[in-house]
Amino acid sequence: GSRAFLTVLSFPDDMEGVWHLTGENFDEGESLLALARDGATEWTVPRWADENDVAFFYYSRRALKNVRKARRSFTDAGELSADAEQFFRTAESEAELYGGHVVSYEFVRGRAFLGRDTDASAHWRTPYYAPLGDGETFEHPLRLLDYRGELPVPHGGTIVPLQPGEFRSLIQRLQE
């Protein structure tokens, strides 16, 4: 059967990370959630991830702090254009709204593979990637802290495997 895991969706806290995230192009109104939904055909996964497993995206509670820190780095470097300011405003609103919530899911659409990005500074704690697709963003994201003890809460750039009971519980809570 299919397995499931929580993976963290977070915002970079420096200029380099923001440039990497945006492809050095601030499209109007583009958000972290939109970038993850539209841009990520591959994502970090556990080594055991396989076809039809389910990746649930947990929007980091630290995202808001990271957005503000990244914005400061742009301001300090004199790089805060009007487009960048709009991008950061959107990112801040999104982080305030979704931080701490399970916001979307995607299906794993192939076997996990060792990523090409072996940069030691990469903040993800797994070198494995897999193609993802066919998911959706939840109309009513689930605040995980409301279910502490019943559902795990990821910390940092971790991936948290869901036990079968946690998987069922998460699905049930999302349908309430």
Side-chain angles (χ1 to χ4, degrees):
S2 295
R3 292 178 287 188
F5 56 94
L6 291 168
T7 186
V8 176
L9 188 59
S10 192
F11 198 89
D13 67 355
D14 61 10
M15 279 180 68
E16 184 184 348
V18 172
W19 288 132
H20 181 75
L21 174 71
T22 62
E24 301 193 22
N25 177 25
F26 294 111
D27 291 337
E28 258 185 63
E30 190 138 50
S31 66
L32 181 61
L33 198 52
L35 285 166
R37 293 263 333 125
D38 303 334
T41 52
E42 293 174 350
W43 201 266
T44 51
V45 297
R47 181 176 50 210
W48 47 258
D50 206 352
E51 185 86 26
N52 295 322
D53 286 351
V54 185
F56 288 96
F57 286 86
Y58 171 77
Y59 205 112
S60 169
R61 292 191 331 234
R62 289 187 53 91
L64 183 58
K65 186 187 292 185
N66 290 358
V67 169
R68 291 175 175 159
K69 187 175 175 190
R71 177 194 269 143
R72 270 193 311 278
S73 70
F74 273 74
T75 302
D76 294 348
E79 296 275 343
L80 194 65
S81 65
D83 284 349
E85 176 57 38
Q86 180 57 47
F87 173 79
F88 283 114
R89 216 174 294 133
T90 300
E92 195 166 314
S93 299
E94 186 180 86
E96 285 173 343
L97 190 62
Y98 296 125
H101 291 72
V102 175
V103 293
S104 64
Y105 73 93
E106 295 286 342
F107 290 100
V108 176
R109 289 297 175 227
R111 297 205 57 140
F113 61 88
L114 204 49
R116 296 164 296 283
D117 181 14
T118 55
D119 181 357
S121 70
H123 72 276
W124 302 116
R125 301 217 171 91
T126 174
Y128 292 93
Y129 291 77
L132 301 180
D134 305 317
E136 64 183 59
T137 300
F138 298 118
E139 193 174 335
H140 303 287
L142 185 73
R143 185 171 178 268
L144 275 189
L145 285 179
D146 293 344
Y147 304 98
R148 192 191 309 244
E150 180 182 340
L151 294 167
V153 178
H155 299 285
T158 56
I159 288 175
V160 179
L162 293 171
Q163 300 306 315
E166 293 169 335
F167 185 21
R168 282 191 299 275
S169 181
L170 179 58
I171 297 296
Q172 181 182 349
R173 296 294 180 201
L174 284 162
Q175 291 172 339
E176 288 177 351

